[in-house]
């Protein structure tokens, strides 16, 4: 009973910790990526920190929710109270915290309109930088961001002047936030980090429009909320807590990836085109597919949870050898 009543404390504590750490990390990374080789780094920026908080709230809320589920797996407590608290916190997350974070971001954009639109390409002169199949040495950059210097290719030196930095150092969209081209290779996200950032970025771009919309847009958000929060049904899948924890983590990652891929994957685009060509309009909407997939996940998780709740009263207890 007492451990069940601690669940809100567990959630709030995890939420605050993740929000602060994530916002601080966002601020440090943002300011670091703005720096150019040979210039001074200023890690603290109050505006970046505020943006970090607004972006971190949805992530922190969902992470804290998952941690709370892990807590119920690890600590035996009252099932009924656990379920009730989980439902209340789930409503709090999706009906208050996440939409509030989007509203906070909009207010920051209104308050600091030039912050996100600031020039990101800041290259300091007197350094050699690789661009394409040649080396570039910039001698001077004027007030209009026009550069003068030389290109070196196969030992041949070619002078230039009045060139735009974006023309000299074209950047891929995925790493356009990195200011100095010399840092592209070292700071560009790779592997698992890149995938996690892609999931978060996709959610933060699409979810605000879904909350503002109606019909399929709003139902899609609800389906995602139900799919994620229904992971609670896997908390007592087996008698082994480690297995249960693995199921929870795997389910959460799967839901995040599948919902992200529906909006960014070339395969998803081909599926949409396939249905459009055959005039199957209701299946040509990504959100409709999202609702179908999330609903299936929700039903599976709910079914597993209900079956275990009614058939095995001690499912979350560790197996001990006699």
């Amino acid at each position: 009973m007492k451990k069940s009543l601690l669940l809100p404390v567990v959630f709030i504590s995890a939420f605050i910790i993740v929000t602060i750490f994530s916002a601080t990390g966002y601020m440090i990374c943002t300011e670091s990526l703005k720096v150019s080789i040979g210039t001074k780094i200023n890690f603290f920026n109050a505006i970046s920190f505020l943006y970090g908080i607004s972006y971190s709230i949805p992530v922190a809320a969902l992470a804290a929710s998952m941690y709370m589920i892990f807590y119920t797996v690890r600590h035996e407590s009252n099932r009924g109270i656990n379920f009730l608290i989980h439902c209340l916190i789930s409503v709090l997350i999706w009906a208050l915290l996440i939409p509030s974070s989007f509203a906070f971001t909009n207010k920051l954009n209104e308050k600091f309109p030039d912050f996100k639109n600031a020039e990101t390409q800041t290259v300091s002169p007197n350094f050699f930088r690789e661009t394409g199949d040649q080396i570039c040495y910039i001698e001077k950059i004027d007030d209009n961001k026009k550069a003068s210097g030389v290109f070196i290719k196969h030992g041949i030196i070619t002078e230039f002047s009045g060139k735009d930095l974006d023309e000299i150092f074209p950047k891929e969209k995925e790493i356009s936030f990195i200011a100095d081209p010399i840092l592209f290779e070292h700071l560009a996200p790779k592997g698992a980090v890149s995938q996690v950032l892609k999931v978060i970025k996709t959610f933060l771009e699409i979810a605000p429009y879904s909350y503002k919309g109606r019909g399929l847009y709003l139902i899609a958000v609800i389906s995602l909320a139900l799919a994620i929060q229904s992971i609670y049904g896997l908390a007592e899948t087996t008698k082994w807590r480690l297995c249960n924890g693995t199921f929870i983590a795997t389910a959460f990652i799967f839901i995040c990836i599948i919902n992200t891929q529906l909006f960014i994957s070339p395969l998803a685009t081909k599926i949409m085109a396939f249905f459009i060509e055959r005039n199957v309009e209701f299946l040509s909407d990504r959100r409709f597919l999202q609702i179908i997939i999330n609903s299936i996940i929700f039903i599976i998780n709910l079914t597993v949870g209900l079956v275990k709740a009614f058939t095995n009263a001690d499912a979350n207890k560790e197996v001990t050898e006699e």
Side-chain angles (χ1 to χ4, degrees), residues 127-131 134-138 149-152 160 168-169:
F127 283 92
F128 289 94
R129 294 174 173 85
E130 185 176 355
T131 173
Q134 57 189 352
I135 302 298
C136 177
Y137 179 82
I138 295 180
V150 296
F151 289 121
I152 305 173
F160 67 86
I168 300 172
F169 303 106

Side-chain angles (χ1 to χ4, degrees), residues 41-320:
I41 301 177
N42 179 23
F43 286 115
F44 182 79
N45 184 306
I47 301 177
S48 288
F49 185 73
L50 291 175
Y51 269 105
I53 289 178
S54 70
Y55 295 148
S56 298
I57 287 175
V59 178
L62 294 177
S65 177
M66 291 301 106
Y67 179 75
M68 187 177 67
I69 296 176
F70 283 120
Y71 182 88
T72 61
V73 172
R74 182 66 184 86
H75 300 87
E76 298 174 16
S77 49
N78 189 290
R79 285 179 173 178
I81 296 178
N82 288 354
F83 178 72
L84 179 61
I85 292 176
H86 176 74
C87 290
L88 292 175
I89 289 180
S90 297
V91 172
L92 173 69
I93 291 172
W94 292 93
L96 180 62
L97 290 179
I98 292 180
S100 295
S101 72
F102 298 149
F104 184 38
T105 301
N106 291 334
K107 288 184 178 180
L108 289 175
N109 292 337
E110 294 174 1
K111 184 72 174 178
F112 309 104
D114 299 327
F115 180 75
K116 295 178 72 175
N117 296 324
E119 179 64 52
T120 58
Q121 185 87 300
T122 56
V123 177
S124 54
N126 303 318
F127 283 92
F128 289 94
R129 294 174 173 85
E130 185 176 355
T131 173
D133 58 351
Q134 57 189 352
I135 302 298
C136 177
Y137 179 82
I138 295 180
E139 182 180 359
K140 181 182 178 181
I141 302 176
D142 62 25
D143 295 336
N144 296 319
K145 300 293 183 181
K146 303 290 185 180
S148 302
V150 296
F151 289 121
I152 305 173
K153 182 177 181 180
H154 303 311
I156 301 175
I157 299 177
T158 305
E159 295 185 0
F160 67 86
S161 62
K163 277 186 171 290
D164 290 328
L165 292 176
D166 289 333
E167 181 182 352
I168 300 172
F169 303 106
K171 294 192 290 186
E172 298 177 10
K173 183 179 179 181
E174 288 76 9
I175 56 175
S176 60
F177 52 83
I178 300 177
D180 196 328
I182 205 171
L183 300 175
F184 287 179
E185 181 179 350
H186 305 286
L187 297 181
K190 299 180 179 67
V193 174
S194 175
Q195 295 304 314
V196 171
L197 292 178
K198 193 175 293 184
V199 169
I200 295 173
K201 181 174 180 289
T202 303
F203 178 80
L204 293 179
E205 288 179 349
I206 296 175
Y209 295 101
S210 297
Y211 270 100
K212 292 179 182 178
R214 297 179 180 179
L216 284 180
Y217 287 83
L218 193 56
I219 296 175
V221 172
I222 296 174
S223 73
L224 177 60
L226 291 174
I228 291 179
Q229 301 308 137
S230 67
I231 292 176
Y232 178 81
L234 306 179
E236 299 180 359
T237 306
T238 72
K239 294 182 179 180
W240 292 276
R241 293 169 182 167
L242 181 59
C243 289
N244 295 339
T246 302
F247 291 150
I248 292 168
T250 302
F252 181 67
I253 294 171
F254 174 77
I255 293 170
C256 291
I257 291 177
I258 195 67
N259 277 271
T260 300
Q261 292 302 313
L262 280 173
F263 290 93
I264 67 173
S265 171
L267 177 60
T269 302
K270 291 180 180 179
I271 293 174
M272 299 299 105
F274 174 82
F275 288 122
I276 291 174
E277 291 174 359
R278 285 154 182 78
N279 296 320
V280 187
E281 295 184 3
F282 70 98
L283 287 178
S284 63
D285 192 315
R286 297 173 192 270
R287 286 179 173 79
F288 191 84
L289 287 180
Q290 183 183 24
I291 292 169
I292 293 175
I293 293 172
N294 287 334
S295 297
I296 292 173
I297 294 172
F298 168 70
I299 292 171
I300 292 174
N301 291 341
L302 180 64
T303 301
V304 171
L306 291 175
V307 169
K308 286 299 178 180
F310 287 108
T311 61
N312 192 353
D314 298 318
N316 64 335
K317 292 184 179 180
E318 292 282 6
V319 174
T320 57

